[in-house]
Amino acid sequence: MYSCKLKKNAFTVVELVVVIGIFIIITSFSTISLLNSRQNVDTSSTLDLISSDLKNQQIKSMTSFNNNNHGIYFDDNSYTLFNGSLYNSEDENNYTVQLSKSLIIETNLNNSQIIFNKINGEVKDFNEQINIKVSSNSQENILKINKLGVIQID
């Protein structure tokens, strides 16, 4: 007599799988994009930090702070702020800045150090433009320093 038809308003399994697949693809693209952005920010902020520390060391030399020259010694993924005419790894006054392991520092310096002269703040034993390259997997920036200690970031 009475027949009852039920209408089901639901999604099929195929529709759900397609929607979840699209969601996973969009999520993976955004994650990859965010990782590259993070590496770019790491490289840029590291360049700013190195530039700031170079300027601070130059100012200390120009003001004859501790009546000494000041400089920076560069390693693969760290650099050390020091005072004196040469870098001494055993000096307890040195301050080492550790960088992210994904970043690499390369220089064209023979002894991996920049020393600023007292009073005038010029780069000691300057031969040619100094290049400091900071690179990660996706980005590479170069910091250039001339004899007067003027810094240019490319």
Side-chain angles (χ1 to χ4, degrees):
M1 292 215 212
Y2 293 103
S3 73
C4 186
K5 290 187 178 180
L6 295 176
K7 276 190 167 178
K8 293 186 179 181
N9 294 330
F11 295 109
T12 65
V13 173
V14 173
E15 291 172 328
L16 289 174
V17 168
V18 168
V19 169
I20 291 172
I22 291 171
F23 179 75
I24 289 171
I25 291 170
I26 291 172
T27 304
S28 65
F29 282 132
S30 63
T31 302
I32 291 169
S33 176
L34 289 175
L35 290 176
N36 286 338
S37 296
R38 184 176 185 278
Q39 288 177 343
N40 293 345
V41 168
D42 279 351
T43 305
S44 296
S45 63
T46 299
L47 278 174
D48 290 342
L49 182 63
I50 292 172
S51 177
S52 174
D53 284 339
L54 280 165
K55 282 295 178 194
N56 284 334
Q57 291 297 85
Q58 185 182 32
I59 290 169
K60 285 180 181 179
S61 290
M62 291 171 69
T63 59
S64 295
F65 184 75
N66 290 340
N67 197 28
N68 224 332
N69 297 338
H70 293 269
I72 296 183
Y73 175 81
F74 294 95
D75 210 348
D76 287 340
N77 66 345
S78 68
Y79 63 92
T80 304
L81 308 175
F82 67 91
N83 64 40
S85 297
L86 285 173
Y87 170 69
N88 177 5
S89 62
E90 297 177 10
D91 188 346
E92 61 188 36
N93 294 321
N94 291 347
Y95 180 76
T96 301
V97 177
Q98 287 294 119
L99 304 176
S100 171
K101 293 185 186 209
S102 64
L103 297 174
I104 298 173
I105 296 178
E106 297 174 37
T107 69
N108 65 338
L109 299 165
N110 292 334
N111 51 9
S112 298
Q113 63 186 4
I114 297 174
I115 301 171
F116 296 102
N117 290 323
K118 287 191 298 186
I119 307 300
N120 65 11
E122 291 182 356
V123 177
K124 184 177 179 181
D125 301 327
F126 184 85
N127 294 326
E128 62 180 309
Q129 177 176 292
I130 299 169
N131 295 323
I132 302 170
K133 181 169 70 170
V134 178
S135 57
S136 65
N137 295 335
S138 63
Q139 187 179 12
E140 178 180 292
N141 292 82
I142 297 177
L143 189 135
K144 297 178 180 180
I145 306 167
N146 69 13
K147 179 180 180 164
L148 301 175
V150 175
I151 297 170
Q152 175 186 352
I153 298 176
D154 287 341

